[in-house]
Amino acid sequence: MDHRSRAWAQRRLRSLAWLELLNIPLQAVIWFGKVGFPVTAANSVGFALFALLLLEGAGYWAAKLRQIATRNRSLPGAGAFVVARRGNVAVLVAGLLFIVWAVVVDPGAGSWPGLGFGLFAVLEHVNYFHVQLMYDTAEDLRYLRSRGLRRAHLARDLAVRARTRCLSRP
């Protein structure tokens, strides 16, 4: 099937949304259940930051799926993503400050994993709202090799929203 067909895009977006959601409990089971990271405040805050960004990612892919299905020019719920883009910065900074404090006060398994989760959340924020960091298809990899990093899909959708709003103002 052509990777540019509507059906292919819908399947891809549906799987991305579900995989982001599935990753939240899956990662919790892996890291806290199987690996055995202790459930401390620092590790929980870091994981919560990570889960929040995965939840926002799932929301974006679901909105994009709805946009394609309805053939709408604007992204459904784009305003919520504008708020999230700004709000994430405050939440990530506050969470990371707490985790760094925990690392300084009691370094080890009770805090270092939380810092890792928190840093991964920052990378997810960048990946969704600024620059695409995930290149998982052959086409993405070709683009990366030939042109370098590309602007994130959500960032492009929010830029379209901003331009549309500017043009529609009297």
Side-chain angles (χ1 to χ4, degrees):
M1 175 168 282
D2 180 19
H3 72 280
R4 296 180 196 273
S5 72
R6 181 177 305 280
W8 182 90
Q10 288 175 316
R11 273 197 313 280
R12 172 90 171 139
L13 292 170
R14 196 174 294 111
S15 69
L16 287 170
W18 280 109
L19 287 172
E20 294 288 51
L21 288 176
L22 178 64
N23 254 316
I24 297 169
L26 178 66
Q27 295 298 320
V29 167
I30 290 170
W31 296 111
F32 294 109
K34 295 294 183 187
V35 174
F37 288 158
V39 181
T40 62
N43 289 346
S44 297
V45 167
F47 190 83
L49 294 173
F50 166 71
L52 172 66
L53 268 293
L54 289 178
L55 191 60
E56 289 174 5
Y60 171 64
W61 297 124
K64 192 70 178 172
L65 177 63
R66 191 168 3 153
Q67 180 186 22
I68 288 173
T70 61
R71 299 176 188 238
N72 194 342
R73 280 196 85 211
S74 61
L75 180 72
F81 293 109
V82 170
V83 171
R85 180 179 57 200
R86 292 186 180 129
N88 282 350
V89 174
V91 171
L92 288 168
V93 167
L96 285 171
L97 285 174
F98 172 77
I99 297 166
V100 167
W101 171 82
V103 166
V104 169
V105 170
D106 188 21
S111 58
W112 284 108
L115 184 59
F117 290 133
L119 293 175
F120 193 78
V122 169
L123 290 174
E124 281 289 292
H125 176 80
V126 169
N127 182 55
Y128 277 112
F129 292 96
H130 302 287
V131 177
Q132 183 178 338
L133 300 175
M134 180 66 178
Y135 293 85
D136 63 340
T137 65
E139 184 178 350
D140 277 345
L141 292 172
R142 278 192 301 277
Y143 184 96
L144 179 63
R145 282 192 297 271
S146 66
R147 298 184 196 156
L149 295 174
R150 76 168 75 176
R151 193 167 188 199
H153 292 281
L154 177 54
R156 287 184 264 163
D157 282 334
L158 294 181
V160 167
R161 177 186 188 267
R163 281 192 303 274
T164 304
R165 289 179 61 114
C166 287
L167 292 175
S168 66
R169 288 187 185 154

